[in-house]
Structure formats: C-alpha cells, structure tokens
Amino acid sequence: MTLKGRDFLTLLDFTPEEISYLLELSAELKEKKKKGILHDELRGKNIALIFEKNSTRTRTSFEVAAHDLGMGVTFLDPQSSQIGKKESIADTARVLSGIFDGIEYRGFGQEIVEELAKYSDVPVWNGLTNEFHPTQILADFLTVKEHFGYLKGIKFVYMGDARYNMGNSLMIGCAKMGMEFTACAPEKYFPDKALIAKCEEIAKETGAKLNFISDPEIACKGADVIYTDVWVSMGEPVEVWEERVKELLPYQVNAEKMKIAGDKCIFMHCLPSFHDLKTKIGKEMGERFGLDAFEVTDEVFESEASVVFREAENRMHTIKAVILATLK
C-alpha cells in the first residue's frame, strides 16, 4: 500500500485498510525504536511545523519522529510566521512547499489546513484543528490494539463534550474501524448531526455501532474503554468554566464509573488533564469551584487501568508512520 503524496487532514479521507496500514507501520516503527534499530529513511528531507496553538505532545512527537527519520525540522509559531497576518494561507502554502517536503499545521479552523493542502505541492498534516485531531486517534487506536489485540467490536465510550475535535475524530475512527462508539453527555454536547449522519453511513459498511446516551450508568456498562478530555479547550474564555462544570460534572470519570464498566476497562485521555490541582489553571479553578479534580479523578488517572502515558508516547510512533507513509 502506498500513501505517498497524500495529505493527512481527517480520517474521513482514509479507508479502514489505510488506517490499519498506518497502525501496522506505527507498530513496526515503535519496535525498531525500542530495539535501537536506525530507521532514518528520509535523510535530506525537511518539514515545517506551523503551530498557532502550542502543544507538548504534538510538537515533540513531530520533532522526534522527524529526527528519527533523518529529517530537518523548522518550528513556526505565531511570532515567527506571517501566516494569515501579512501573508495569506494560499501564499504561505506555496512558499513553504517550495522549501519543505511536508507541512504540519496545528491551530484553529479546519478550513485553514484544508486551504494549506489545496495550495501546497507537498503533503500537509493536521496536528489539530477545532474540528479534527486525526494524529491523536491513530495513537489512541494503537494503544487500544496493543492492550486488547484488536479494534473491531471494542466498546469505546467518550465522556463529556463531544462537539469538537476529539469527539468528532473518535466517532469517525470508531465508525471506520467497526467499533462501538458511545458519546455520553447532555444532548447539547453531542457531535454535529451532519457528521453523525456521515458516520452512520460508514458504520453500515464496517459493522460499527454509534450510540448517543445521556445516562452515564447505561453508557459505561460493559465498556472496554472510557475516554475523556478537558471540559474547557485552549482559547475558550474563563466564563465558560462555570457552565461546563455545572453541566459536565455528572460525566466526570471516577471509580464508580470504572466499576460499572468492569475490570477489563481501560481509561484514556489525550492530555493535558485536570486530574489534580498541581497546575496553575487547575489550582485556580479547583479553588473557585471547590473541586479537587475535573474531567477525571486522580484515583482513576493514576490507577492500573490508566494507559494515558503509553497513549502519549504512541503519538510519536503514529506521527512517524504518517510522515514516512506520505513522503517515502
């Protein structure tokens, strides 16, 4: 299978077979990394990383993946790039694709990364937009596959606000891979109806199941995976915290919900997490609302069921697979 020259913008653009190929390549590259086997197959190539939103995992994963492949990396944040300010997205794409072999974008609307891809002569990779986060889903699925040995039929429950990139992308990924996806939240936090309809069409072909449930006890029963994310995303105003805490606190992942799921259930989170008050924002909001944790309790986060740090490591292995598959 070859994906050379392809953009990586959303999993909607990839078949189940192509996603499986990327996961298999990720596992192969991870094994080489663990064994110290050099795999610098892209020596002489260079990539640009455009970051309008900062990230620990996405930046380090792209940089280490590229270095392992023998590549050069240039990091462009809002202070070191004119993208969208003095230079249009289209012009930026044409300039960078004349200099680099691949371009990563992490920032705001999906339309930005789509426009970059439209005008770029080299592959463009989505490191996160408001709507989609496809590299995270590959890491999540590699982690699930490592733990259970398979993906098809896995009961995957996403707790909390499922309207944006994580809820959208996990629903798409589960639909593509024949899994059972459940969004558990108040109805106003379910994914967009048009995207649900697309995923339901995909599910008819793959055997996947999609559920949208507001009762955590029903949603968690028999779950293989319980997944959550922060309730307030980067760039959202402080004012939304009060609404989110009030409406999403019943969907906090805690020991009771993990017990409902059963002993085989694992806990996942894309990170960072407000599982304690050891961060500036966590402490400030914890004191404001009288809570010692938000989307997940520290007890669950630090439990044996938690695979969040293996999941974080797998960002690098799966991103490396995407780079290699689209450039080699």
Side-chain angles (χ1 to χ4, degrees):
M1 181 177 291
T2 177
L3 301 178
K4 186 175 181 180
R6 294 272 297 275
D7 299 312
F8 191 76
L9 308 181
T10 166
L11 290 181
L12 286 169
D13 299 334
F14 291 81
T15 66
E17 292 75 23
E18 289 169 335
I19 295 169
S20 293
Y21 166 71
L22 287 170
L23 293 174
E24 289 164 10
L25 181 58
S26 302
E28 179 186 322
L29 291 168
K30 182 174 183 177
E31 185 177 10
K32 286 182 177 179
K33 175 87 170 175
K34 297 296 184 184
K35 290 181 177 179
I37 300 171
L38 285 177
H39 44 284
D40 51 346
E41 301 175 45
L42 297 178
R43 280 174 291 176
K45 293 187 181 295
N46 295 276
I47 63 172
L49 307 181
I50 301 172
F51 273 65
E52 294 191 298
K53 288 183 179 180
N54 288 325
S55 167
T56 301
R57 278 150 301 282
T58 303
R59 178 178 177 178
T60 55
S61 293
F62 266 99
E63 289 188 344
V64 173
H67 290 315
D68 282 355
L69 291 168
M71 308 175 75
V73 180
T74 298
F75 177 76
L76 299 171
D77 62 12
Q79 285 69 49
S80 53
S81 167
Q82 296 299 335
I83 184 170
K85 294 177 291 186
K86 291 173 65 178
E87 189 163 53
S88 69
I89 305 301
D91 288 356
T92 299
R94 288 179 284 195
V95 168
L96 294 182
S97 64
I99 299 170
F100 295 95
D101 300 286
I103 302 167
E104 179 271 354
Y105 173 82
R106 179 183 172 93
F108 298 97
Q110 181 73 8
E111 70 277 2
I112 299 174
V113 75
E114 299 278 354
E115 188 171 4
L116 275 172
K118 178 180 177 180
Y119 289 98
S120 172
D121 293 326
V122 299
V124 172
W125 309 300
N126 181 358
L128 173 142
T129 61
N130 294 339
E131 294 86 355
F132 301 113
H133 197 1
T135 60
Q136 179 66 53
I137 307 314
L138 289 183
D140 297 338
F141 285 7
L142 178 62
T143 308
V144 171
K145 195 171 182 183
E146 286 175 340
H147 187 86
F148 292 102
Y150 59 94
L151 292 176
K152 193 171 182 66
I154 287 288
K155 292 187 175 183
F156 197 108
V157 178
Y158 182 83
M159 300 284 289
D161 191 345
R163 296 172 296 176
Y164 302 119
N165 46 42
M166 284 310 303
N168 289 344
S169 296
L170 285 168
M171 178 174 66
I172 294 165
C174 288
K176 290 276 184 178
M177 304 312 290
M179 299 160 71
E180 182 174 347
F181 173 81
T182 298
C184 182
E187 189 171 343
K188 65 182 282 189
Y189 291 99
F190 290 162
D192 176 71
K193 289 182 179 179
L195 184 60
I196 290 174
K198 278 187 184 179
C199 289
E200 285 176 338
E201 287 302 310
I202 295 167
K204 289 177 183 177
E205 298 177 8
T206 64
K209 295 180 181 178
L210 305 180
N211 307 306
F212 303 92
I213 298 171
S214 295
D215 186 332
E217 188 166 342
I218 295 172
C220 291
K221 190 173 182 179
D224 296 307
V225 179
I226 293 181
Y227 197 117
T228 194
D229 190 10
V230 292
W231 294 337
V232 179
S233 300
M234 289 179 287
E236 291 191 284
V238 168
E239 291 74 33
V240 305
W241 275 88
E242 188 165 354
E243 177 188 17
R244 301 280 171 80
V245 169
K246 179 181 178 182
E247 295 181 345
L248 295 177
L249 191 58
Y251 300 89
Q252 179 190 70
V253 181
N254 52 32
E256 180 184 354
K257 293 184 181 68
M258 295 298 290
K259 186 177 180 181
I260 292 169
D263 293 340
K264 68 176 180 176
C265 183
I266 59 174
F267 169 73
M268 302 182 74
H269 193 304
C270 52
L271 302 183
S273 168
F274 294 118
H275 61 96
D276 57 25
L277 306 183
K278 295 177 182 178
T279 62
K280 181 180 178 181
I281 295 174
K283 185 175 186 295
E284 178 185 343
M285 293 302 156
E287 291 173 352
R288 179 174 174 177
F289 295 105
L291 297 171
D292 57 10
F294 288 87
E295 74 279 2
V296 59
T297 62
D298 194 55
E299 179 183 10
V300 171
F301 188 89
E302 297 291 354
S303 71
E304 290 185 6
S306 176
V307 296
V308 297
F309 295 112
R310 190 199 316 174
E311 183 185 358
E313 178 196 332
N314 282 341
R315 289 295 308 284
M316 187 268 290
H317 303 299
T318 48
I319 283 170
K320 190 185 298 182
V322 169
I323 295 173
L324 184 60
T326 54
L327 291 188
K328 185 178 177 182

